[in-house]
Amino acid sequence: MSPSAESTTQHATRLDFTTFRNVIDGKLTTTAGTRQSVNPATGEPNPPVPLSTRQDLDDAVAAARKAQRVWAKTSFEERRTKLQAYLDAFETYRDDFVKLLIKEQGKAYKLAHDEIDRTVAMIRATSKLELVEEIVEDDGKRSATLRYVPIGVTCGLVPWNYPLLLAWGKIAPAVYAGNSIIIKPSPDTPYGGLKLVELAMQFFPPGVIQVLSGGHDLGPMCTAHPGIDKISFTGSSATGRLVMESCSKTLKRVTLELGGNDAAIICEDVDIAETVPKVATLCFLNSGQICMAIKRVYVHESIYRRFLDALVAYSKTFKVGPGTEQDTFMGPVQNAAQYKKVQTYFDDIGKEGQKVALGGGVWDKSKGGAGGFFFNPTLIDNPPENSRLVRDEPFGPIVPLLQWANDDEVLARANDTNMGLGASVWSPDVARAERMARQLEAGNVWVNNHFELKAHVPYGGHKWSGIGTEWGLAGLKQWCNSQTVWLPSKKATASL
């Protein structure tokens, strides 16, 4: 382990949000090298964070293995108590984590509070789940009982768009199921993850929850490490394939929550005034950097022009700017690489002669935030179905609107993608909307809503949008191995 380590005892003084260190075996540790991300709203550097090495990972895995053997023997009630105690402490740091989210992720002020709320709900809902044993066979002679046992040492690879929620979306079920976990935050948003786990030191035994900050080489180290039994990854489909390939070499358990190209189908009978604000918000929330944001809007041809005009008018009301301004709706794209990627879709506007209904360029930096990664919210009017904007996931604030004429046609077009994370149908005729929704090839479908998530409700992706399930009881079971126990039947034993 690094020679620079500092123990933290229970009921320690409040966290210092100006320095950031790894947590290995119940100690705060530093590394010889450091790195730093930038504030995406200003371009200014954030504080230095550790640049973890293979030795740091080896140390964390060894500590996790030792701790997990003991932790697995604790009761669900004991784990629940610790999670709830952590939750109580976490809520006292709301303002600190909100400021951190704005600074490292670029979140709008209200959306940062929303991420805190969702994180709290995640921890609370997970701690209420019950993993019960089930007798699946009893013929009077032999009985078979299905139970769920911990996997062992697990690792969560966390993305940069929701760094707190998606960290605890992995931590809570992992430790509640009796595993230990190592969190590897995104190199672009390491700060919140480091502080989340530093706080956890006050409530969980050393080695149960650890965190390592590093560069882009740390993730592959984790997926290849023979001492890690499960990887849970949230990120792009391209990276997900690399994660799966690496994990296959040691037959790790793996859960992948990957990208989406979610379609929203707007039927001709919608109330335009009521529907437009919801759709606009779900297109541009978090600057479009949500895997289940609306990425394609299919509008029935009979209302297309009226709906488009109303969507443009409403989207013009969204304030773009830094999250430090509390009335900001849309902050920056999170990092330079993503900014460059999103820029290519804006470049296609001129190359392909696309018709811009709204926006179409970078944000006017004279309004403030010079140096940040800002775009205007942009709507493209009926681009070709084979355009990159329709086929790909920009993961930024640029959205196509497309016309459709009949149900079978639009369902075929919505399903004509490698992605299958989410989709929605909008109509006051709920029976018709449900019929359509049930034909959509996606893991999560909604009627008259989108991106509606609850911590106790499972979600997952079809096709290239993921493998496995997260959240809820089904998600909790993904952090377990199933075990079938065959015994002489109690009936048979009683007759002896």
Side-chain angles (χ1 to χ4, degrees):
M1 181 176 291
S2 167
S4 178
E6 174 186 330
S7 297
T8 297
T9 58
Q10 282 202 339
H11 310 300
T13 56
R14 287 186 64 80
L15 301 184
D16 175 6
F17 278 75
T18 63
T19 58
F20 299 87
R21 289 170 284 182
N22 287 338
V23 174
I24 301 177
D25 198 17
K27 300 179 179 65
L28 295 171
T29 69
T30 58
T31 55
T34 60
R35 65 182 308 280
Q36 58 197 144
S37 69
V38 301
N39 182 328
T42 65
E44 297 173 351
N46 286 322
V49 293
L51 187 61
S52 298
T53 64
R54 173 59 188 252
Q55 185 60 56
D56 295 309
L57 179 58
D58 287 345
D59 291 342
V61 170
R65 182 67 63 190
K66 179 181 178 182
Q68 194 273 331
R69 294 191 182 103
V70 178
W71 181 248
K73 297 176 182 178
T74 60
S75 67
F76 280 104
E77 184 57 39
E78 184 175 348
R79 299 170 201 167
R80 182 180 298 117
T81 298
K82 290 187 180 297
L83 283 169
Q84 291 176 345
Y86 177 93
L87 182 58
D88 291 340
F90 174 68
E91 291 192 275
T92 70
Y93 286 98
R94 171 180 288 270
D95 290 343
D96 301 284
F97 278 108
V98 164
K99 291 175 183 176
L100 198 56
L101 277 172
I102 292 170
K103 188 174 182 180
E104 71 166 330
Q105 203 282 330
K107 269 198 165 55
Y109 177 83
K110 291 179 181 177
L111 197 57
H113 274 283
D114 178 73
E115 182 166 353
I116 300 296
D117 292 339
R118 290 175 182 265
T119 303
V120 168
M122 165 57 60
I123 300 170
R124 181 173 290 121
T126 301
S127 68
K128 293 179 180 179
L129 297 173
E130 299 284 348
L131 272 176
V132 297
E133 297 186 2
E134 178 186 358
I135 297 175
V136 294
E137 169 69 11
D138 190 345
D139 62 3
K141 296 179 180 179
R142 301 283 290 175
S143 68
T145 300
L146 178 64
R147 62 193 294 258
Y148 297 92
V149 299
I151 292 174
V153 175
T154 67
C155 178
L157 305 182
V158 181
W160 45 257
N161 60 333
Y162 274 82
L164 303 187
L165 172 62
L166 296 179
W168 264 103
K170 302 178 190 304
I171 297 170
V175 300
Y176 190 58
N179 304 289
S180 56
I181 188 167
I182 300 165
I183 288 294
K184 200 286 295 181
S186 165
D188 295 303
T189 54
Y191 303 92
L194 291 170
K195 286 301 168 185
L196 287 176
V197 179
E198 182 179 338
L199 180 60
M201 292 169 61
Q202 300 179 26
F203 303 97
F204 294 87
V208 173
I209 305 175
Q210 302 176 92
V211 62
L212 297 177
S213 163
H216 291 282
D217 60 341
L218 182 57
M221 287 187 213
C222 294
T223 59
H225 200 290
I228 293 175
D229 305 308
K230 174 188 168 78
I231 293 286
S232 175
F233 169 78
T234 303
S236 72
S237 297
T239 304
R241 288 194 290 272
L242 297 176
V243 168
M244 190 172 183
E245 179 182 4
S246 178
C247 289
S248 71
K249 297 174 183 176
T250 50
L251 290 179
K252 287 178 174 56
R253 305 308 188 250
V254 60
T255 301
L256 304 176
E257 194 273 282
L258 307 177
N261 192 11
D262 290 20
I265 299 173
I266 313 299
C267 295
E268 67 277 13
D269 53 0
V270 297
D271 182 323
I272 293 177
E274 179 182 332
T275 304
V276 158
K278 298 175 184 177
V279 172
T281 298
L282 292 162
C283 286
F284 296 117
L285 194 68
N286 205 35
S287 301
Q289 300 169 117
I290 299 174
C291 54
M292 281 186 275
I294 294 175
K295 310 288 183 9
R296 297 174 289 158
V297 184
Y298 288 92
V299 184
H300 193 274
E301 60 183 6
S302 65
I303 64 165
Y304 180 83
R305 187 56 52 189
R306 288 186 292 131
F307 191 93
L308 174 60
D309 290 345
L311 193 67
V312 167
Y314 191 85
S315 299
K316 285 180 178 179
T317 68
F318 293 147
K319 178 180 175 180
V320 179
T324 49
E325 298 174 8
Q326 296 189 15
D327 58 343
T328 289
F329 173 80
M330 209 177 86
V333 169
Q334 199 282 320
N335 58 74
Q338 185 62 21
Y339 184 79
K340 292 176 182 177
K341 176 187 173 182
V342 174
Q343 182 64 60
T344 66
Y345 293 93
F346 282 85
D347 294 342
D348 286 347
I349 294 172
K351 293 177 182 177
E352 299 180 4
Q354 295 174 359
K355 185 177 180 181
V356 177
L358 174 69
V362 297
W363 183 55
D364 181 359
K365 292 179 180 178
S366 67
K367 298 177 180 178
F373 305 128
F374 292 95
F375 289 101
N376 288 313
T378 295
L379 296 168
I380 304 300
D381 182 357
N382 208 33
E385 197 80 16
N386 62 356
S387 63
R388 283 198 321 133
L389 180 60
V390 178
R391 304 298 301 172
D392 297 348
E393 178 189 29
F395 218 63
I398 178 170
V399 178
L401 272 74
L402 305 111
Q403 298 185 44
W404 63 275
N406 66 72
D407 293 4
D408 289 341
E409 166 224 331
V410 74
L411 288 169
R413 291 165 66 191
N415 288 332
D416 185 20
T417 172
N418 290 325
M419 303 298 187
L421 191 55
S424 57
V425 181
W426 300 71
S427 171
D429 185 345
V430 174
R432 174 199 180 191
E434 182 182 357
R435 285 195 302 272
M436 295 175 71
R438 288 180 178 273
Q439 297 178 68
L440 290 165
E441 298 169 358
N444 312 274
V445 294
W446 298 270
V447 169
N448 297 331
N449 210 338
H450 205 106
F451 188 49
E452 181 180 12
L453 297 175
K454 298 291 183 182
H456 64 283
V457 179
Y459 80 94
H462 295 181
K463 304 181 186 179
W464 289 9
S465 288
I467 292 177
T469 303
E470 296 197 293
W471 298 12
L473 184 58
L476 180 62
K477 290 178 179 179
Q478 301 270 299
W479 294 90
C480 304
N481 284 320
S482 66
Q483 182 184 69
T484 303
V485 181
W486 286 89
L487 295 171
S489 172
K490 292 181 180 179
K491 297 175 185 179
T493 304
S495 65
L496 294 178

